[in-house]
Amino acid sequence: MDRSALVWEVLRQYGYEDAYMEKVGGVIYLALPEGEYALKRSRAPREKLYLLHQLLNEAIQSGCDHLLPWMETKQGEPVAEVEGTCWYMVPWKRRSVPDGKRWSSEEAMGALARLHQATEPGCKKLDELAPSIRQEEIESWKRKMEMLDQYANQGKDREFISPFERAFASAKEQLERSFQFAIRGLERYRESENASLPRAVLCHGRVHPSNVVQDEEQVYLIDFDHAQVDTPARDVALAIQRFSLHDGADPFKLLEAYERVWKLEPKEKRLLALYLSYPERILKTLGRYFDKPRTAMVEPQFTKRFEREISQHEQMQELVKSLWPSKKKKEEREKVQVASHQPGRKKKRKRANR
């Protein structure tokens, strides 16, 4: 069955024989008698889509109106399946509003916090999906760190190196320090907490500007195909990195916007610091530059992007420092705890108040 016939068969499962359709990005825009909808083909297995629908539906019922409901087929199913492919349909939301107002990154962070808060009760019941710090992830980070040396050696013996390679050479030591901090921190967390995480929520998995839309009333999070049950720290780190790079948003203000809705626990803030230290975007830029054919025309673009990402990474480290419990802070907390357990001091405080 060709793609056109496949789509029409999907629509028939939803009860439609006629519709105006148009390919828009990764979805099919549909104009139907009842309104406008987006039809999405998903690579996720059917079982995962059913779980996503369950968690999102529970969140919507609890008041999360910034999530889009999945429309049901004629059989009352949230997913249509044709020849082994899965599809789901949601109301269409345009990326702009008439007055030209655009959503802010802080609004998106608040929407993400509401998602996490609303799905935490449902995820708590899914013991089999309880997330943990896996050794495989730590080993993957170590392999990525080794790639820095491989990239650096590519231009080592050449008489002239490119502007991009010079920028990378000057930033390499800083990137290695970030990697070492993230890896050591994740290893210690895994050992001290027996790899378990404080809370599990439905993490979007790909929070970035393309997956945020708005109408006249509010912003919406879309495209949950890569969502998974995980620690909120992972989603928050990804969102802060993406939004601060996209529109220059202040990382501190982004975290504040999230925590105005839902507070992260101390252990989650430690994890957030580690995930923010991992230079994910920079690694992708290095990979695109060194691993794929390129021309002299794209050299300035790569260099400008890399320098911008390095600048953002440096700014991010200020937030990391504020999140990571230093030895001095730990000692101060211990002093406060000791003082609060001394009965003599409490009595003095009472006499002073009289």
Side-chain angles (χ1 to χ4, degrees):
M1 189 182 298
D2 62 33
R3 186 174 181 83
S4 177
L6 194 68
V7 173
W8 281 115
E9 180 56 36
V10 171
L11 285 179
R12 277 189 282 273
Q13 290 196 25
Y14 282 98
Y16 301 104
E17 296 292 337
D18 187 28
Y20 169 79
M21 65 178 68
E22 180 183 346
K23 187 79 161 53
V24 180
V27 302
I28 297 174
Y29 164 78
L30 297 173
L32 299 170
E34 292 84 353
E36 298 175 302
Y37 295 89
L39 182 65
K40 176 76 183 293
R41 178 179 179 176
S42 177
R43 297 182 182 276
R46 185 183 182 91
E47 295 75 16
K48 178 181 177 180
L49 292 175
Y50 269 78
L51 176 60
L52 288 178
H53 170 261
Q54 174 190 328
L55 292 172
L56 291 173
N57 197 44
E58 289 175 358
I60 292 171
Q61 290 177 356
S62 70
C64 280
D65 53 359
H66 69 297
L67 303 175
L68 301 178
W70 292 17
M71 313 310 293
E72 293 186 347
T73 66
K74 289 190 299 183
Q75 290 73 35
E77 300 289 336
V79 177
E81 186 172 4
V82 179
E83 293 193 346
T85 63
C86 292
W87 303 71
Y88 63 91
M89 186 190 298
V90 297
W92 178 267
K93 294 294 180 182
R94 300 188 180 277
R95 296 184 183 277
S96 60
V97 291
D99 62 3
K101 176 189 173 185
R102 183 186 176 279
W103 56 269
S104 71
S105 296
E106 291 185 27
E107 285 181 287
M109 291 300 295
L112 183 64
R114 290 172 63 198
L115 168 70
H116 291 168
Q117 184 180 40
T119 56
E120 195 258 345
C123 291
K124 192 181 293 185
K125 305 172 188 175
L126 304 173
D127 294 336
E128 69 279 8
L129 295 179
S132 63
I133 300 298
R134 297 176 292 107
Q135 185 61 36
E136 293 86 350
E137 181 178 17
I138 297 174
E139 296 303 321
S140 173
W141 284 16
K142 289 179 179 179
R143 288 193 297 272
K144 293 292 180 58
M145 181 176 172
E146 292 171 358
M147 294 297 295
L148 295 180
D149 286 330
Q150 295 181 32
Y151 292 143
N153 289 334
Q154 288 193 28
K156 192 174 182 181
D157 299 326
R158 291 202 302 269
E159 185 176 356
F160 300 102
I161 63 172
S162 71
F164 182 93
E165 290 168 326
R166 283 197 295 272
F168 170 49
S170 64
K172 181 173 178 289
E173 186 176 338
Q174 174 190 349
L175 292 175
E176 287 176 333
R177 287 197 300 269
S178 293
F179 255 119
Q180 289 166 357
F181 171 77
I183 291 170
R184 284 200 303 268
L186 214 58
E187 286 177 329
R188 290 172 182 170
Y189 187 96
R190 177 178 164 81
E191 292 171 3
S192 62
E193 303 296 331
N194 196 26
S196 63
L197 296 168
R199 294 182 294 187
V201 301
L202 181 65
C203 284
H204 184 283
R206 288 196 174 182
V207 186
H208 53 68
S210 297
N211 287 330
V212 180
V213 295
Q214 87 180 88
D215 61 12
E216 293 84 350
E217 299 178 357
Q218 62 179 357
V219 300
Y220 298 85
L221 299 180
I222 62 171
D223 193 3
F224 279 82
D225 292 35
H226 296 86
Q228 59 184 355
V229 177
D230 207 334
T231 169
R234 195 184 295 275
D235 240 6
V236 175
L238 181 65
I240 290 176
Q241 290 169 334
R242 292 291 194 274
F243 292 137
S244 62
L245 186 63
H246 179 258
D247 57 10
D250 185 335
F252 283 89
K253 289 184 178 179
L254 292 176
L255 180 57
E256 288 172 6
Y258 179 93
E259 290 207 291
R260 280 197 293 270
V261 178
W262 205 46
K263 293 283 187 182
L264 290 176
E265 295 183 356
K267 290 179 181 178
E268 290 166 344
K269 289 186 176 182
R270 284 172 53 198
L271 286 170
L272 176 59
L274 299 176
Y275 291 136
L276 288 174
S277 293
Y278 178 65
E280 181 212 16
R281 293 294 297 174
I282 295 174
L283 282 171
K284 289 184 177 179
T285 298
L286 289 170
R288 291 192 187 103
Y289 183 86
F290 287 107
D291 297 337
K292 296 181 179 179
R294 59 190 183 278
T295 65
M297 294 179 63
V298 302
E299 176 76 26
Q301 298 173 9
F302 269 105
T303 305
K304 184 178 180 180
R305 177 190 298 177
F306 182 78
E307 289 175 342
R308 185 183 174 200
E309 289 172 347
I310 287 295
S311 176
Q312 184 230 20
H313 186 69
E314 291 172 348
Q315 183 185 18
M316 205 67 66
Q317 299 320 296
E318 295 302 314
L319 178 56
V320 169
K321 291 176 185 176
S322 71
L323 291 168
W324 193 255
S326 65
K327 186 175 181 181
K328 183 178 180 180
K329 289 180 182 177
K330 184 178 179 182
E331 290 173 349
E332 289 174 352
R333 283 199 305 271
E334 289 175 348
K335 287 180 181 178
V336 171
Q337 290 173 353
V338 169
S340 65
H341 287 84
Q342 291 181 359
R345 291 198 174 188
K346 286 185 179 179
K347 289 177 181 178
K348 283 184 179 180
R349 202 174 291 123
K350 285 181 180 179
R351 285 198 295 270
N353 288 337
R354 287 174 185 169

